[in-house]
Amino acid sequence: GDVWHRRPGTQGFTRALPRGVVLHVASGNVATTGVLSLVEGLLAKNVNILKVASNAPSLPLLFAQSIADHDPEGVIARSFAILSWSGEREALHEVFCREADAVVVWGGDEVLETYRRALGPHTRLIPWGPKVSAGFLGAEALTAETATAVARDIALWDQNACSSPQVQYVEGDAAAFVELLALALERLAHELPMGTLDLHERAEITKERELALADQLMGLGRLIRPAGPEWTIIVDPDPAFRLSPLFRTIIVKPVARLEDALPHLAPYRHYFQTAALAVGAERVGELAERLALAGALRVTRVGETSGGTPGEPHDGVFALDELVRWVALDAPGAAEAFDGSGWMAADRVEAIARAKRRRLVDTWLPRSPYYREALRGHDADDWLALPILDKATLIAHTPPQGQGLLTEVPQGGHWLRSGGSTGAPKLSIYSFEDYEEDMLRAARGAHAAGLRPGQKVANLFYSGELYGSYLSLNRALELIGCNAFSFTQVASAEAVIACMREFGIDTLIGLSSHLQAILAQTDLPIRHVLYAGEPFPAQARGNYKVSSIGYGGVDAGPMGFQCAHCVGDQHHLHADHVYLEILDPETWQPADEGEVVITSLNRRLMPLLRYRVGDRARWVPGACPCGLASPRFELLGRSDDKVRLEGCDFHLADVARVTAAIAGLHPVPQVELAGTVARPEVTVRAQTEALGDVAALGAELRAALLALEPDFAAVGLVVEVLPPGALAQGSRTGKITRLVDRRGGR
């Protein structure tokens, strides 16, 4: 892996590193084994050597050529080699076995023993030895559909795969089912013809057929076969498991109850891989349990024996675990890190972001109808020429208006909507995997701000109406290991304070305005307050630590976080998760100060390429004293908060900075525009933090505003200072409505 990862529930870390040089020995019975083994070795970042099977060299060579064609820089292509040598060349065989760090062997017991004897003292053997599989069909499932599925399991790989059934145990009317199976196998003989058989393979099938015919003549079984060797069904009343000669030769064993067959699998328990099950739903649990105890490593439905689902183990283990070595870290200072990103050098951070950008453009964006069309004719290497996504386009291509930004039909995930405090609400759809990537960064940011395992935290964020703040922060608390008290925003100040007293809660997270209302009513000891939504006024802070919980949004996810050395609106970038550009809004070229444009590096279901989040920022030069290599930026306000008037132009953020500098005033004002476009009137409203001299505060604010923009005097500036809580707040976000435009026509 690229970074160290914290072990859940501990202060330690682990990291997977490659084993080194790995020799893969392919088998000839299934052509894909060598390539799949090689891919696993590449995923684990080993140097890989594949010894191809003498009878199946073509697919590995085609795979290698394909890698070379798509990897001109040789990043992957130079990390493996494909070779072939005869078993008689013992010197070469011994060199690889003695010097490799691991040898992966696909084959029978004799092949495994050949390599086991030759291994060097430090070489690890990873054996994928012989396995057998069987089917188990309940009386309630003996249908034509089941027969078709069983025939497919038999025909795929001509029964040579370890997962191919060699025996089918059939409960109930086996005779009728055999007829259905024969029809299904005959159809597949034409739709999926069997491969060429050599003389030895033909002889084995002929011998098995002759023995079955002799049993049939003695009334001990039944043989069903076509004229040629395309398939064979042998009905054997003896329930003992036995091996088939393969090549679509299936042995059907009738039983009164499927449970009766299980003791007969005992001689093969150490070889038993796949059990294909076709029974009623009410029987699945018990039979699966019994099959697992009988040695089965997979229990699957009929028709899917050669399939599998992502993340499932192979032959009882997770294959990639075998190809890496796990390193543990519990050194001094490790406990203060949330993950290993803090130990990465700047060039490593940049390399990870660059690789993820390439993967996004090459793999995920082409699956989105919108991006497939938007990127047509663009050179992916010319990043600054790639299109920029604005909010109107995002809304037009997400439900309910459209689905163009989605790479697939959502199969499960979170559907979240923004608060709409800066325009129309925007929908964002996260698969559960994408969401978890976001939550790891949300937890990283909260940890950097000071949250630690075991801390008692009251979560006061908003929940409901598709708003994701409570949901997300609660998951972040879980990942850090905090004690989470789930209040949401509906809890009254009295209820929160009562629980703080009762349970010793000393940390609050939530929207700035809600937190201030609670803190104003308690004198209980507070350890830490983490806010979002609006700035937390300096004059409202007590003898406790106050931190931003991070920079992010529903549409773009977590983008930045604050360490102890970040002041004001400075943030570190989640550089392994977001690629952030600061661009001149006139030329859309990189600038030291300008509009924020982000690319999500880990989202797959609804990727965002060069998305305008609506904020202005500047880069903060120099290294941060905290030692983190991730870049820093400072937010300067909304990019859409510039108000254009004939007499003067100003930014709402500049007005807010004036308000925040006056002791006694809440830092977020409201600006109302009235009159007409030709003859505008500007009213600036601010509210006090506590009851005070409203007239004096109003005069101070007016003077500061005129100093900011002298032309305010020409547009009928009105200043109003209101009591605490007088300015309306959004019901979902808790944010003050910053701009009210009531202007009429000219």
Side-chain angles (χ1 to χ4, degrees), residues 75-86:
V75 175
I76 296 176
R78 288 200 300 265
S79 68
F80 72 94
I82 296 179
L83 304 175
S84 177
W85 66 84
S86 168

Side-chain angles (χ1 to χ4, degrees), residues 391-433:
K391 293 182 181 179
T393 305
L394 182 145
I395 291 172
H397 291 279
T398 51
Q401 287 84 352
Q403 299 196 27
L405 278 174
L406 304 182
T407 58
E408 63 181 6
V409 177
Q411 299 299 315
H414 292 292
W415 293 54
L416 304 174
R417 181 172 275 164
S418 66
S421 59
T422 58
K426 302 171 292 295
L427 181 75
S428 281
I429 306 174
Y430 291 85
S431 69
F432 291 127
E433 294 80 5

